[in-house]
Amino acid sequence: MAPTFAEATAVKAVDSHTYATNFDTEWCVGSVPHGGVVTSVFLRVAADHFRTTLATQNQPHTISLHLEFLRRTQCGPAMLAVRDIKLGRQTSTIHVELSQDGRQEVVGYLTQSNMDAESGLSLKTPWLLQPPPPPPPVDFAALLAGAEDANWIRDVIEMDAAKFRKISHRARTFLPREGQTTPGLIDEWLRLDSGERFTNESLGFVSDFFPLIIHELWRKEHPDKRVPGFWFPTVVLNLDIKKALPRQGIEWLFVRVQVKNLRNGRMDFEVIILDEAGDIVALSHHVVLVVGMERNLAARGNDQAKI
């Protein structure tokens, strides 16, 4: 049985500034831990660090995250070392470095605050999702149980893709029944398959979990050719968290992902995460490579394995 999300992203304090985790194969793409899982591990480290070592800061919420994926991670144990960069009254920033077998693989900066204590200017903006997505499901519980919804249908994962992307089994994705509004854009409603609820530490995973977005773009330009086996390693991931989710979490989140430019094997992802009320929970931007699947499965070199 696959570990739960909480188990797959659990961290354990080794000392005041060092944490250990273990990446499970069931939460991987090929041989590489899913980038969203790695991101959620960083969020858990920050949450634990500010609950223990930096508890007097009273800044439990990550409001900003920036990660650089330097090298390919792997299944198994990993260590995360924390440096306290700036401790402030309103915000504090830490640097976190993830390493495996002596390799520095992912580094990041996370900024913490206390969203419950925030005050200051608030103004409404006219921003809306464009093009608009279909109306939300009428009954989420019925949709989950298999009832038909007028606007949303469960994503069906191809067997070959599911073998390579074990992570695809870890959440249930519901897509527009009439198809996406335009190529290069995906709207989805998302729920963890285990029934666990999304918390702020889950947002790293949510920001990186969606169907293969380039397939429709490929078919538009190459209608008679099969889509090759691609792997999409993340180079940079930024996360701007706008809202503190309830402590008990929420069951469903809406995600919109859009590619603006795919050129020479490099593309961007713009990710918008909303709750059932339509409030912005988080915004994310990724820099991603498009490479052959064999790069994911290739044997490591003797010292520093690059993406």
Side-chain angles (χ1 to χ4, degrees), residues 248-267:
Q248 69 273 20
I250 60 176
E251 189 175 5
W252 295 86
L253 285 169
F254 172 86
V255 181
R256 168 168 286 185
V257 187
Q258 188 166 18
V259 174
K260 293 186 175 67
N261 186 276
L262 198 173
R263 183 179 301 160
N264 297 327
R266 179 166 55 87
M267 66 178 172

Side-chain angles (χ1 to χ4, degrees), residues 62-63 115 198-200 203 206 239-246 250 252-254 272-283:
T62 300
I63 59 171
M115 293 190 191
F198 293 120
T199 63
N200 278 53
L203 294 175
V206 174
L239 185 62
D240 174 7
I241 300 177
K242 301 291 191 182
K243 183 177 183 178
L245 296 177
I250 60 176
W252 295 86
L253 285 169
F254 172 86
I272 301 170
I273 303 171
L274 310 180
D275 60 17
E276 291 182 44
D279 291 337
I280 298 176
V281 174
L283 306 173

Side-chain angles (χ1 to χ4, degrees), residues 117-152:
E118 284 182 328
S119 62
L121 178 66
S122 296
L123 296 173
K124 293 182 179 180
T125 74
W127 177 85
L128 293 170
L129 283 175
Q130 294 293 343
V138 174
D139 186 331
F140 282 96
L143 181 67
L144 190 63
E148 189 169 294
D149 184 86
N151 298 301
W152 298 90

Side-chain angles (χ1 to χ4, degrees), residues 300-304:
R300 288 183 175 275
N302 293 329
D303 49 4
Q304 305 288 355

Side-chain angles (χ1 to χ4, degrees), residues 63-305:
I63 59 171
S64 175
L65 170 148
H66 170 83
L67 295 187
E68 300 266 352
F69 291 77
L70 307 178
R71 297 179 180 87
R72 186 168 35 126
T73 53
Q74 66 186 22
C75 298
M79 302 298 293
L80 296 104
V82 179
R83 285 191 293 128
D84 305 330
I85 301 299
K86 174 250 182 181
L87 302 181
R89 180 176 57 84
Q90 188 168 358
T91 65
S92 296
T93 300
I94 60 174
H95 176 273
V96 182
E97 175 186 313
L98 183 150
S99 61
Q100 292 182 294
D101 296 337
R103 295 183 307 271
Q104 184 187 55
E105 294 180 337
V106 187
V107 295
Y109 285 93
L110 296 91
T111 298
Q112 298 288 123
S113 187
N114 188 328
M115 293 190 191
D116 297 332
E118 284 182 328
S119 62
L121 178 66
S122 296
L123 296 173
K124 293 182 179 180
T125 74
W127 177 85
L128 293 170
L129 283 175
Q130 294 293 343
V138 174
D139 186 331
F140 282 96
L143 181 67
L144 190 63
E148 189 169 294
D149 184 86
N151 298 301
W152 298 90
I153 188 169
R154 185 171 178 180
D155 185 27
V156 178
I157 304 164
E158 296 178 6
M159 186 64 68
D160 288 345
K163 288 180 181 178
F164 181 71
R165 293 172 55 86
K166 290 185 180 180
I167 191 72
S168 61
H169 296 291
R170 307 283 78 85
R172 299 191 188 186
T173 303
F174 294 84
L175 307 177
R177 179 175 289 277
E178 300 302 322
Q180 303 294 346
T181 55
T182 184
L185 180 148
I186 287 178
D187 286 334
E188 64 177 357
W189 281 97
L190 195 63
R191 178 191 186 272
L192 286 169
D193 189 64
S194 64
E196 294 167 276
R197 291 176 173 263
F198 293 120
T199 63
N200 278 53
E201 289 74 39
S202 313
L203 294 175
F205 171 74
V206 174
S207 74
D208 199 29
F209 190 93
F210 38 84
L212 298 177
I213 197 168
I214 73 166
H215 281 197
E216 289 304 317
L217 294 172
W218 172 275
R219 293 184 183 111
K220 186 177 180 181
E221 295 195 20
H222 306 283
D224 300 323
K225 294 183 180 179
R226 183 176 180 179
V227 182
F230 288 122
W231 175 43
F232 309 96
T234 303
V235 178
V236 177
L237 189 152
N238 291 292
L239 185 62
D240 174 7
I241 300 177
K242 301 291 191 182
K243 183 177 183 178
L245 296 177
R247 286 181 181 275
Q248 69 273 20
I250 60 176
E251 189 175 5
W252 295 86
L253 285 169
F254 172 86
V255 181
R256 168 168 286 185
V257 187
Q258 188 166 18
V259 174
K260 293 186 175 67
N261 186 276
L262 198 173
R263 183 179 301 160
N264 297 327
R266 179 166 55 87
M267 66 178 172
D268 57 276
F269 288 152
E270 179 189 57
V271 185
I272 301 170
I273 303 171
L274 310 180
D275 60 17
E276 291 182 44
D279 291 337
I280 298 176
V281 174
L283 306 173
S284 184
H285 189 274
H286 307 203
V287 177
V288 179
L289 299 181
V290 183
V291 299
M293 193 182 297
E294 69 281 356
R295 292 273 294 274
N296 176 290
L297 303 171
R300 288 183 175 275
N302 293 329
D303 49 4
Q304 305 288 355

